[in-house]
Amino acid sequence: NAGVTQTPKFRILKIGQSMTLQCTQDMNHNYMYWYRQDPGMGLKLIYYSVGAGITDKGEVPNGYNVSRSTTEDFPLRLELAAPSQTSVYFCASSNDPYRETQYFGPGTRLLVL
Amino acid sequence: DAKTTQPNSMESNEEEPVHLPCNHSTISGTDYIHWYRQLPSQGPEYVIHGLTSNVNNRMASLAIAEDRKSSTLILHRATLRDAAVYYCILRDVDDKVIFGPGTSLSVIP
């Protein structure tokens, strides 16, 4: 059981470039989440999904897109990278976010220059 | 929205108990109270959760007020490895799980 895996671990982007952050979980969880964490700050929810084919916005969705075509994968797309998107991105999954724990991936550190 | 408030920071001496408070006055009857912690340069990790009764596990204890409007995470003997940011969270009105700023715990040797 690998849990939640994220790739890449670290990436440098130029302003205006695009990229996809990958997230995969092997626990058959329906719920998946993307958070960002700016230096010295708490986590902010970007997007979440309650199952394949269903996604919804979190607190800070602007500049990002997601899709959920399978239960396992929940990629996060940055279309026109901006310096404000420099952050650490965490993916998480859960079987039941009310009664059970969320499992977090190791994070992707993104630097936009 | 279900919100929580926590002190920004706390200090504890090593090997002493630590009581981390959390207020959640707008909690609904079905909201579970979850605690996570984040060690430096790592992702958050689960600590404990509960609904109404006090809960214990190998990491910590969770004391929930009778009216459920507050809770306290108890670390029985703080170690240097417990220095982290501790988050108390509830679910939002739908399926969102929102993290607040948390409490930064420093442990003094």
Side-chain angles (χ1 to χ4, degrees):
Chain A
N1 229 357
V4 179
T5 57
Q6 292 183 239
T7 56
K9 287 194 172 87
F10 176 66
R11 181 80 182 266
I12 298 175
L13 278 184
K14 293 182 180 175
I15 294 172
Q17 285 186 321
S18 302
M19 78 165 292
T20 299
L21 282 67
Q22 301 292 344
C23 175
T24 300
Q25 52 93 7
D26 62 359
M27 297 172 281
N28 203 33
H29 287 167
N30 283 324
Y31 295 83
M32 294 189 75
Y33 304 83
W34 273 107
Y35 296 90
R36 60 175 285 173
Q37 185 171 38
D38 299 336
M41 306 294 285
L43 287 88
K44 295 287 187 186
L45 181 65
I46 306 171
Y47 270 95
Y48 66 103
S49 169
V50 302
I54 306 169
T55 63
D56 210 342
K57 296 177 181 178
E59 303 170 91
V60 290
N62 291 344
Y64 306 95
N65 277 304
V66 292
S67 59
R68 184 94 184 271
S69 55
T70 66
T71 299
E72 295 78 20
D73 300 306
F74 190 39
L76 178 71
R77 178 90 179 151
L78 280 72
E79 287 297 350
L80 292 168
S84 61
Q85 293 178 305
T86 293
S87 192
V88 180
Y89 292 83
F90 291 103
C91 179
S93 75
S94 177
N95 194 39
D96 179 345
Y98 316 132
R99 285 174 282 273
E100 296 181 18
T101 182
Q102 280 186 301
Y103 294 86
F104 282 81
T108 293
R109 187 175 299 274
L110 177 66
L111 181 59
V112 182
L113 298 173
Chain B
D1 292 0
K3 297 284 188 219
T4 63
T5 54
Q6 300 175 252
N8 288 335
S9 61
M10 291 183 65
E11 268 187 4
S12 173
N13 292 320
E14 196 176 8
E15 298 194 3
E16 289 188 356
V18 184
H19 290 233
L20 297 164
C22 180
N23 287 319
H24 27 78
S25 58
T26 59
I27 190 170
S28 74
T30 54
D31 281 337
Y32 278 73
I33 302 155
H34 291 250
W35 283 82
Y36 287 78
R37 73 178 186 181
Q38 187 174 22
L39 302 172
S41 301
Q42 294 189 27
E45 64 175 353
Y46 168 79
V47 178
I48 200 166
H49 76 287
L51 183 61
T52 56
S53 305
N54 294 345
V55 184
N56 299 295
N57 66 22
R58 63 174 181 81
M59 287 180 72
S61 296
L62 176 60
I64 301 173
E66 200 168 326
D67 63 5
R68 301 206 330 121
K69 294 188 177 189
S70 65
S71 61
T72 302
L73 179 70
I74 302 165
L75 306 179
H76 296 287
R77 287 183 67 207
T79 70
L80 296 178
R81 288 173 295 177
D82 291 323
V85 178
Y86 287 79
Y87 299 98
C88 165
I89 64 172
L90 307 175
R91 72 176 176 94
D92 207 317
V93 292
D94 40 38
D95 293 308
K96 299 180 205 174
V97 178
I98 303 292
F99 281 70
T103 296
S104 179
L105 175 66
S106 301
V107 179
I108 302 165

